Amino acid sequence: AQSVAQPEDQVNVAEGNPLTVKCTYSVSGNPYLFWYVQYPNRGLQFLLKYITGDNLVKGSYGFEAEFNKSQTSFHLKKPSALVSDSALYFCAVRDNTNAGKSTFGDGTTLTVKP
Amino acid sequence: KAGVTQTPRYLIKTRGQQVTLSCSPISGHRSVSWYQQTPGQGLQFLFEYFSETQRNKGNFPGRFSGRQFSNSRSEMNVSTLELGDSALYLCASSLSQNQGRYEQYFGPGTRLTVT
């Protein structure tokens, strides 16, 4: 069975500071990893994904994530946070033996204060 | 390209009734997945359809069912509604080949309230 853990319910950072939202995963095969963002009263929006190749992937709005196979982690990062980054962030995993089913973490609420 | 659309956006039903939610995927997307989002349980996978076939199903009772039509549009049905079914129901679509590689595009959701 595949699973995702987002150990922090809430992350608070000051505008302009770097941010990290943590994610660890467990799958039986090679993982496909995704980050999504949800703004209030809206559906989820895709940010970035890791499929294969370079461990550092870049996505929308200046976000990036680092895949670490040994630590089974896929942390979301941004060098300089904006107030508009405040939202709910979900990490998700799919494995290549159970295509079609995504397992999502519980979500992390990011608050960026001016 | 138009995004994923879901109808209706808001719905209020009474316990014991049934409800049907509709989802139209992005043009060209043949996979449609459904999720239930609640504050306490997060995002829970309901089922996934591809080419009118259910390929995966989450751990929900048989009261939850769905189908997909030849144009890739999908519906989900919940019968004998319970208070605990109150949630935001999200539909997501993705491209068809090698499913796991492709990100999902989500609709705005249908907010179901059961009274």
Side-chain angles (χ1 to χ4, degrees):
Chain A
Q2 56 194 38
S3 65
V4 175
Q6 292 181 243
E8 301 157 317
D9 291 336
Q10 181 114 17
V11 170
N12 298 311
V13 298
E15 187 174 32
N17 283 359
L19 70 87
T20 298
V21 183
K22 296 179 181 177
C23 171
T24 59
Y25 67 90
S26 174
V27 292
S28 55
N30 291 324
Y32 297 142
L33 297 158
F34 303 81
W35 276 102
Y36 294 86
V37 60
Q38 186 177 33
Y39 298 100
N41 300 314
R42 295 176 68 177
L44 278 69
Q45 296 178 33
F46 168 72
L47 274 180
L48 50 78
K49 66 181 176 182
Y50 171 83
I51 302 299
T52 187
D54 195 348
N55 290 341
L56 184 65
V57 293
K58 295 185 183 296
S60 307
Y61 311 121
F63 284 93
E64 58 190 27
E66 186 166 13
F67 170 65
N68 187 316
K69 188 172 184 178
S70 62
Q71 297 185 3
T72 61
S73 66
F74 189 56
H75 301 330
L76 181 71
K77 300 181 180 183
K78 187 174 183 181
S80 179
L82 300 172
V83 173
S84 57
D85 293 330
S86 298
L88 182 58
Y89 290 81
F90 290 95
C91 179
V93 65
R94 284 175 156 180
D95 70 33
N96 60 9
T97 62
N98 190 18
K101 178 179 178 180
S102 289
T103 299
F104 285 79
D106 290 337
T108 298
T109 299
L110 172 67
T111 301
V112 181
K113 296 183 179 178
Chain B
K1 220 180 225 188
V4 177
T5 57
Q6 292 185 245
T7 56
R9 291 292 311 278
Y10 302 92
L11 208 48
I12 299 175
K13 290 286 188 178
T14 305
R15 274 179 299 176
Q17 289 186 314
Q18 74 165 17
V19 66
T20 299
L21 312 182
S22 180
C23 171
S24 292
I26 290 173
S27 177
H29 287 192
R30 294 169 63 190
S31 169
V32 174
S33 298
W34 288 89
Y35 297 86
Q36 181 194 66
Q37 186 177 20
T38 59
Q41 297 295 319
L43 210 65
Q44 301 292 316
F45 173 77
L46 280 156
F47 25 67
E48 187 254 350
Y49 287 88
F50 175 73
S51 291
E52 303 177 66
T53 301
Q54 186 182 89
R55 300 200 310 167
N56 277 295
K57 183 171 167 50
N59 296 324
F60 279 82
R63 300 185 297 107
F64 291 81
S65 63
R67 58 178 176 168
Q68 186 180 34
F69 302 94
S70 59
N71 62 359
S72 293
R73 191 177 69 84
S74 177
E75 289 181 347
M76 67 163 282
N77 183 277
V78 187
S79 62
T80 320
L81 284 166
E82 300 176 359
L83 294 178
D85 297 333
S86 295
L88 180 67
Y89 289 88
L90 294 168
C91 166
S93 73
S94 62
L95 285 170
S96 58
Q97 295 298 320
N98 195 354
Q99 279 296 302
R101 302 176 62 89
Y102 292 99
E103 62 273 19
Q104 294 176 296
Y105 292 85
F106 285 79
T110 294
R111 174 75 62 185
L112 172 64
T113 301
V114 182
T115 62

